[in-house]
C-alpha cells in the first residue's frame, strides 16, 4: 500500500488540516508528472520544495504537536489537582470534612482520564505518521532529484531536534496518568486497601522468564563509552557464560555470536502491529548461538505483547533438518514428543510442548510467514549466579541482513530454503563484506538491556539507577531489533517507521552535568506524584526520594524558601572591594587571576572562610574596635593615613574592571539544611527561655500580692515585673537575631554569627535577680531569729529606718511611714 493512501486512511478527523500535505509535496516534486523527463529540475524548483517541507510543513506539524502536548499537560495537571482534593482512603477528607469521595466522583475522574489517554494515543499516532511522511518524501526526493541535491541528512537532523519524533515527549504524561489510574481503580475495586507498590513505568517493557516477571529497559551506548560501561558493570556483576557452545567458541576468548532469524508476511503485518503497539502483537524468530555449521541448538520462539504492556514467550528446540518441513506443515515435532514419552517425562510437559508446536505452526500458516530479516550480534551477559534480580546484556557488532525472497527475479534467499546458504555455508561474520552491501545495515551503537526482577517494590539497586541515569547511555524505550532491522532494510515496503531512526544520525553522547540534572528533575517529579497518590490511597507507596548532592532540586529548595520569606530574590552579599585589587602597603600578598588581582587577605568575610575564626568570646569579638587581628590593625592604619577603606571606590589600574560580586558568591545559592535548621533550633531555645522567665515572673508577681487580706510584698512584685521585662527582651532579641542570621545565610556572609549582647544582658539580669533574692531571703531569715523582737523581716527593717528618720526630723508621723 502506498503511503499516501495510508495517510488518508489514518487521519484523525478533528486534526485533518494539521497533517503533512503529502500530496502537495509530491506535486512540487513532480512525482506523478508524465512530462517529468522533458522538464529539467532547476534550483528554483529545489528552493520551492525545501521551503515548503522545512519552513511550512515541518513547522506546522511541530508547532501543532507542541501545542497539543501543552494542552494535554494542563488537562493532566487539572485532573491531578482534582485527585488531590478528594479525601484519602482512610476517610480523612482534605477539603470536605463531612463527605467522602463517592464512586460517581471517581468514575467521573476516570472518564476524564480516559479522554486524555485517548487523545495522547491519537497524538502519538499523529506524530509517528507525520514522522514517517517526512522521511518518505525526502527519500523520494533524493532518489529522484538527488544527483545535485540531497536533503535526507538535513531532514534527519531537523527531526532529531523536534520533540514530536520521540516517545520521551509523552513519558511524563503517561507516567502521571498511569499512577492516577492506579489510585482510582484501587478505590473503586477495593476501598481501603492498596498494594505495596506502584505500577511500572509506561516505557518499561515487562517480560516473563522462568515464571518470574521482569521489566526490561533498553539503552544505546556510544562506542566511546562502551569500555567504561562494561567496566562499571563488571565491578558489580560477573560475566556470564550461559551456553556450552558459546564457551567453546574461539576458546572462550570472544563474546558468543547470536543469530536471530525473524519471520513476517509479505505485507509486513507483524512489523506494523509491533510499531503501532497493537494488542496481542506477536513476533516469531529462529535463534541459535555461533555458526550454523557447528550444529548448535536452534530455538523456535514466539513473543506476544499483551494489553497491559507485558509479553510472554513460547519456544521449543528444533533441529536444522526439521525446520523446512515444520514451516511447510509436514512435521509436528513427533520425534521430540516420542523421545519425551520414552524418557518418562510428565504428561503436563508433553502436552505443553504439543500445544506450543501446534500454536506456532498455526500462527505461521495463518499469517503466511516466511524468513524476512536476520540479526547478527555478539553478546556480553552479566549476572550473579546466586542472584537473578538484575540481568544485563550488551550486544555489539550488530548487523541486520535481508533474508527475504520478495523480488522473484533477484531473491536474497532461495525460496526453497529457510535461510541464506551464502552466509551460513561460508561462515560469514561481521561486517559481512562478502555479500551485497545494499542488503546489510550495520547498527552504529551497542545495545544495553537491563532486566530487573519484580519483587513487590520498585526499589532498584543504587548502582543500576545511577547507570540508567548517567551520560554514558542513551535511553531508547521499547527498542526492537526486528523493528529496527525491518525499518532500515525495507523502508520502501512499510508505511510506519520507529521514532529512533532520526537518532542514528545524531551524536548521542551527553554532557554529564546536564544528564544528571535532567534525571534529578524527572525523579523529583515522579516522587511528588507518588507521594500524592500514596496519600490518596492511605498508604506509603514508592521509594523515598532524596535529592543527590549538587542536585538542582536540592539547590533551589532553601533558596526559594528564603526568597519567599524575604519577599525578594536571593542576591550576592556584597560587591568586591574595588581597592582590594591593588597591592596593600601593609605587606599583604597579591595573586593574579585572569584580568583580576585578588589580595591575599581580601576581607574579614573571606578570611573567616579560609581559616577558623580566632578570638571567640574575647573582648575583640564583642567590641570590634578593640580587635588586635591583622585585618583590624591594617584597617585602622589605613584610616589613620586617610586612605579609603576596602569596599569604597578607588581608582583602578588600566585594563582592570571592577568586579560585581565576590568569587565565593558566584554561582547558584547552596545552603546545607543543617545550617538553616540550626538557626531555627537556636530560636526555639530562646523561646523556651522566654517562656520559663515569663512563668517565673508571673509566679513572683502573684505571690507578692495580698496575703491573708492584710498586706502585700512590694519587692516581690517588683522583681516579678523585672523578670517579665527580661523575658520580653529575650523574646524580642531572639526574633531579631533569627532574622539577622537568616539574612546572613542567604547573603553567604563570612562574618561571625555570634551575637553576645543578648546572652550577656539576660545572664546579668538573672544574676542580679538571684543576688537580690538571696539577700532578701537572708534578711528575712535573720529577722525571724533576732532576739528581743529585733527586726521582723523586710517590713521591720524598713519600719525601723523610717522611725529613725522621723525622730531626727522631729516629726510624729511614724504611722504614716509604715509600708
Amino acid at each position: 500500500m502506498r503511503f499516501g493512501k495510508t495517510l488518508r486512511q489514518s487521519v484523525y478527523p478533528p486534526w485533518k488540516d494539521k497533517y503533512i500535505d503529502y500530496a502537495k509535496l509530491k506535486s512540487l516534486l513532480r512525482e506523478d508528472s508524465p512530462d517529468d523527463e522533458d522538464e529539467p529540475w532547476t534550483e528554483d524548483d529545489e528552493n520551492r520544495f525545501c521551503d515548503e517541507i522545512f519552513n511550512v510543513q515541518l513547522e506546522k506539524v511541530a508547532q501543532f504537536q507542541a501545542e497539543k502536548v501543552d494542552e494535554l499537560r494542563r488537562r493532566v495537571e487539572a485532573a491531578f489537582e482534582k485527585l488531590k482534593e478528594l479525601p484519602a482512603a482512610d476517610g480523612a477528607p482534605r477539603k470536605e470534612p463531612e463527605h467522602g469521595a463517592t464512586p460517581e466522583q471517581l468514575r467521573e475522574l476516570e472518564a476524564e482520564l480516559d479522554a486524555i489517554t485517548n487523545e495522547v494515543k491519537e497524538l502519538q499516532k499523529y506524530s509517528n505518521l507525520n514522522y514517517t511522511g517526512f522521511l518518505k518524501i525526502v527519500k523520494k526526493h533524493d532518489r529522484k532529484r538527488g544527483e545535485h541535491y540531497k536533503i535526507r541528512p538535513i531532514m534527519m537532523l531537523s527531526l532529531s531536534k523536534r520533540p514530536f519524533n520521540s516517545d520521551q515527549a509523552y513519558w511524563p504524561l503517561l507516567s502521571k496518568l498511569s499512577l492516577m489510574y492506579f489510585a482510582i481503580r484501587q478505590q473503586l475495586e477495593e476501598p481501603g486497601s492498596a498494594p505495596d507498590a506502584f505500577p511500572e513505568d509506561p516505557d518499561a517493557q515487562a517480560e516473563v522468564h522462568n515464571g518470574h516477571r521482569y521489566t526490561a529497559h533498553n539503552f544505546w551506548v556510544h562506542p566511546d563509552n562502551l569500555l567504561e560501561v562494561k567496566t562499571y558493570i563488571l565491578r558489580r556483576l560477573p560475566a556470564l557464560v550461559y551456553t556450552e557452545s558459546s564457551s567453546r567458541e574461539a576458546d572462550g576468548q570472544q563474546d558468543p555470536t547470536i543469530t536471530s532469524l525473524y519471520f513476517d508476511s509479505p505485507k509486513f503485518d507483524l512489523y506494523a502491529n509491533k510499531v503501532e503497539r497493537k494488542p496481542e502483537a506477536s513476533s516469531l524468530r529462529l535463534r541459535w548461538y555461533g555458526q550454523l555449521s557447528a550444529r548448535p541448538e536452534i530455538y523456535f520462539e514466539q513473543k506476544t505483547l499483551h494489553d497491559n504492556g507485558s509479553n510472554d514467550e513460547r519456544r521449543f528446540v528444533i533441529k536444522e533438518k526439521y525446520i523446512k518441513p515444520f514451516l511447510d506443515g509436514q512435521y509436528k515435532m513427533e520425534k521430540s514428543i516420542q523421545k519425551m514419552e520414552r524418557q518418562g517425562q510428565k504428561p503436563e510437559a508433553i502436552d505443553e510442548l504439543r500445544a506450543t508446536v501446534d500454536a506456532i505452526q498455526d500462527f505461521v500458516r495463518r499469517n503466511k510467514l516466511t524468513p524476512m530479516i536476520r540479526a547478527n550480534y555478539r553478546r556480553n551477559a552479566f549476572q550473579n549466579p546466586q542472584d537473578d534480580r538484575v540481568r544485563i546484556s550488551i550486544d555489539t557488532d550488530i548487523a541486520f541482513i535481508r533474508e527475504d525472497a520478495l523480488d522473484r527475479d533477484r531473491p536474497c534467499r532461495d525460496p526453497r530454503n529457510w535461510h541464506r546458504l551464502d552466509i551460513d555455508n561460508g561462515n560469514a561474520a561481521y561486517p559481512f563484506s562478502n555479500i551485497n552491501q545494499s542488503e546489510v545495515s550495520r547498527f552504529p551503537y551497542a545495545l544495553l538491556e537491563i532486566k530487573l526482577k519484580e519483587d513487590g517494590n520498585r526499589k532498584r539497586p543504587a548502582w543500576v539507577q545511577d547507570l540508567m541515569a548517567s551520560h554514558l547511555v542513551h535511553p531508547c524505550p521499547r527498542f526492537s531489533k526486528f523493528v529496527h532491522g525491518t525499518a532500515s532494510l525495507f523502508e520502501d515496503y512499510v508505511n510506519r517507521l520507529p521514532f529512533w531512526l532520526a537518532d542514528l544520525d545524531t551524536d548521542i553522547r551527553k554532557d554529564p552535568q546536564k544528564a544528571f540534572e535532567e534525571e534529578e528533575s524527572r525523579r523529583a517529579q515522579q516522587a511528588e506524584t507518588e507521594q500524592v497518590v500514596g496519600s490518596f490511597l492511605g498508604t506509603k507507596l514508592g521509594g523515598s526520594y532524596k535529592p543527590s548532592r549538587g542536585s538542582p532540586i536540592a539547590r533551589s529548595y532553601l533558596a526559594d524558601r528564603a526568597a519567599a520569606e524575604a519577599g525578594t530574590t536571593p542576591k550576592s552579599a556584597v560587591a568586591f572591594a574595588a581597592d582590594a585589587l591593588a597591592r596593600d602597603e601593609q605587606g599583604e600578598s597579591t595573586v593574579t587571576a585572569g584580568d583580576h588581582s585578588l589580595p591575599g587577605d581580601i576581607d574579614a568575610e573571606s578570611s573567616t572562610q579560609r581559616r577558623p575564626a580566632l578570638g571567640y568570646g574575647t573582648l575583640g569579638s564583642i567590641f570590634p574596635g578593640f580587635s588586635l587581628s591583622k585585618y583590624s590593625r591594617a584597617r585602622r592604619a589605613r584610616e589613620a593615613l586617610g586612605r579609603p577603606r576596602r569596599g569604597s571606590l578607588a581608582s583602578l589600574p588600566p585594563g582592570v574592571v571592577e568586579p560585581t560580586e565576590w568569587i565565593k558568591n558566584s554561582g547558584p545559592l547552596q545552603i546545607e539544611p543543617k545550617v538553616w535548621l540550626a538557626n531555627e533550633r537556636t530560636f526555639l531555645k530562646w523561646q523556651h527561655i522566654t517562656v520559663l522567665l515569663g512563668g517565673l515572673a508571673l509566679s513572683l508577681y502573684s505571690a507578692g500580692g495580698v496575703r491573708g487580706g492584710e498586706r502585700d510584698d512590694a519587692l516581690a512584685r517588683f522583681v516579678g515585673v523585672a523578670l517579665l521585662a527580661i523575658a520580653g527582651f529575650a523574646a524580642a532579641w531572639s526574633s531579631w537575631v533569627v532574622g539577622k542570621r537568616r539574612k546572613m545565610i542567604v547573603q553567604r556572609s563570612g562574618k561571625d554569627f555570634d551575637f553576645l549582647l543578648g546572652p550577656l544582658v539576660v545572664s546579668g539580669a538573672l544574676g542580679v535577680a538571684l543576688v537580690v533574692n538571696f539577700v532578701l531571703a537572708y534578711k528575712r531569715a535573720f529577722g525571724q531569729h533576732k532576739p528581743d523582737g529585733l527586726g521582723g523581716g523586710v517590713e521591720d527593717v524598713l519600719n525601723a529606718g523610717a522611725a529613725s528618720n522621723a525622730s531626727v526630723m522631729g516629726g510624729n508621723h511614724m504611722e504614716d511611714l509604715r509600708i
Side-chain angles (χ1 to χ4, degrees), residues 209-227:
H209 297 279
N210 299 325
H212 299 288
R213 185 180 175 90
Y214 289 81
T215 54
H217 305 265
N218 295 316
F219 303 89
W220 294 354
V221 182
H222 194 277
D224 293 350
N225 299 329
L226 182 58
L227 181 60

Side-chain angles (χ1 to χ4, degrees), residues 542-774:
S544 58
Y545 167 71
K546 294 182 179 179
S548 303
R549 194 176 195 84
S551 168
I553 307 301
R555 288 201 302 263
S556 63
Y557 170 70
L558 289 175
D560 293 343
R561 176 178 171 184
E565 293 181 351
T568 57
T569 304
K571 299 180 180 179
S572 301
V574 291
F576 265 120
D579 63 333
L581 301 172
R583 183 181 296 274
D584 189 85
E585 293 184 5
Q586 301 294 328
E588 298 173 275
S589 60
T590 302
V591 182
T592 303
D595 293 335
H596 302 279
S597 300
L598 305 181
D601 188 11
I602 295 177
D603 192 86
E605 291 186 3
S606 59
S607 64
T608 55
Q609 292 185 347
R610 290 194 303 268
R611 59 179 180 271
L614 301 177
Y616 175 81
T618 61
L619 185 62
S621 63
I622 304 174
F623 304 102
F626 294 95
S627 177
L628 300 179
S629 65
K630 177 183 178 182
Y631 165 76
S632 299
R633 294 198 306 267
R635 184 186 61 185
R636 289 196 294 269
R638 285 194 298 271
E639 292 175 351
L641 295 175
R643 297 194 182 100
R645 298 179 59 181
R646 289 179 178 175
S648 60
L649 297 178
S651 59
L652 300 176
V656 177
V657 180
E658 180 183 357
T660 58
E661 64 177 355
W662 294 98
I663 292 180
K664 69 181 182 64
N665 292 340
S666 61
L669 177 64
Q670 300 184 31
I671 303 174
E672 294 187 8
K674 64 180 182 181
V675 176
W676 194 272
L677 296 177
N679 187 29
E680 295 183 350
R681 186 167 58 248
T682 305
F683 173 72
L684 294 177
K685 289 290 186 181
W686 272 93
Q687 295 302 308
H688 180 65
I689 294 175
T690 301
V691 172
L692 291 180
L693 288 176
L696 179 60
L698 291 177
S699 299
L700 287 175
Y701 189 85
S702 299
V706 177
R707 294 182 297 176
E710 295 183 359
R711 58 179 183 177
D712 58 358
D713 193 340
L715 286 179
R717 299 182 67 181
F718 174 77
V719 173
V721 172
L723 290 177
L724 187 62
I726 297 173
F729 172 80
W733 171 263
S734 61
S735 300
W736 178 82
V737 167
V738 70
K740 182 68 174 178
R741 286 174 176 163
R742 183 176 299 170
K743 184 177 180 181
M744 293 172 64
I745 292 173
V746 172
Q747 292 180 342
R748 295 184 276 202
S749 174
K751 298 179 180 179
D752 290 336
F753 284 78
D754 304 313
F755 296 95
L756 301 183
L757 179 61
L760 289 177
V761 171
V762 174
S763 300
L766 288 178
V768 172
L770 290 175
V771 171
V772 171
N773 184 56
F774 174 77

